[in-house]
Amino acid sequence: MGFALAEAFYLQGADVTVISGPTSQKIAYSGIKNVSVVSAEEMYNACIKEFKKTDIAVMSAAVADYAPKIVAKEKIKKSEEEFTIELVKNPDILKTMGEKKSHQFLVGFALETQNEEENAKGKLEKKNLDMIVLNSLKDEGAGFQKDTNKIKILTKTEQKEFSLKSKEDVAKDILNL
């Protein structure tokens, strides 16, 4: 979805930067800047740096909420029947951006599996977003690793539901709203 959004904004004349983790997706236009990251910390640093010079930020995906406290430098050999990995919370990139914004327009995405609208509205408020795009894994044809998506867009004053469409058309709907 992020690459479709980047292309839609670029085709409307925007200067676009995509910050992405490892992916097989390719940017279709050489005029779109790409910043590749691997870790949640790298994603956080890149987003905060780019956000300072951004008018509109569309955060279409999230890093994991937690990361291993200690990253093994070598393979962990199988020796015990049970093995525990201690996790620490990753920084909340979207919330940090919401705290820092001034003239900027900030869009987040919410992928929910229960109490979908209620959780999306909560995220809209808690993270100081201007708009949130709600995805559901319950909708046939929507979600990850598909060429289509079905969304509902919520702002503080309105919400609009869209039918199942190609990700390119969904990106245009988000851009137009």
Side-chain angles (χ1 to χ4, degrees):
M1 196 66 246
F3 285 82
L5 282 159
E7 291 171 13
F9 275 86
Y10 179 76
L11 291 172
Q12 290 296 314
D15 290 328
V16 177
T17 299
V18 172
I19 303 170
S20 69
T23 180
S24 62
Q25 293 278 338
K26 301 288 183 226
I27 293 175
Y29 301 96
S30 61
I32 297 175
K33 180 181 170 189
N34 185 38
V35 177
S36 296
V37 298
V38 176
S39 69
E41 183 179 355
E42 288 177 1
M43 177 71 75
Y44 177 86
N45 291 333
C47 287
I48 299 307
K49 179 182 174 190
E50 289 294 327
F51 190 57
K52 292 174 185 172
K53 53 189 175 190
T54 299
D55 295 316
I56 301 170
V58 182
M59 307 296 286
S60 63
V63 298
D65 292 333
Y66 295 92
K69 185 173 186 177
I70 299 170
V71 178
K73 302 217 182 312
E74 297 178 7
K75 178 183 176 186
I76 299 171
K77 298 294 286 175
K78 183 175 20 176
S79 61
E80 305 295 325
E81 286 299 314
E82 293 184 18
F83 184 80
T84 302
I85 297 175
E86 194 173 350
L87 301 174
V88 294
K89 202 171 201 174
N90 278 324
D92 189 327
I93 299 168
L94 191 57
K95 187 171 194 292
T96 301
M97 291 168 76
E99 292 167 356
K100 294 181 179 281
K101 75 176 192 164
S102 57
H103 67 281
Q104 298 147 311
F105 192 87
L106 184 58
V107 180
F109 271 60
L111 177 66
E112 302 294 339
T113 56
Q114 52 189 323
N115 303 324
E116 295 171 347
E117 266 186 56
E118 182 182 322
N119 287 334
K121 286 178 185 174
K123 192 175 189 179
L124 179 74
E125 293 296 321
K126 282 186 258 177
K127 299 191 184 208
N128 194 27
L129 306 177
D130 298 290
M131 189 167 93
I132 192 158
V133 180
L134 174 61
N135 295 279
S136 173
L137 288 177
K138 296 176 183 176
D139 291 326
E140 185 77 28
F144 299 111
Q145 298 180 346
K146 300 202 172 31
D147 293 328
T148 55
N149 203 357
K150 183 174 185 271
I151 61 165
K152 183 181 287 188
I153 298 178
L154 296 87
T155 68
K156 291 176 175 123
T157 58
E158 68 177 312
Q159 61 184 19
K160 187 169 183 178
E161 192 162 352
F162 297 86
S163 61
L164 183 70
K165 300 178 181 183
S166 72
K167 287 190 175 176
E168 290 76 18
D169 287 338
V170 170
K172 290 174 190 170
D173 289 337
I174 294 167
L175 182 140
N176 289 334
L177 196 61

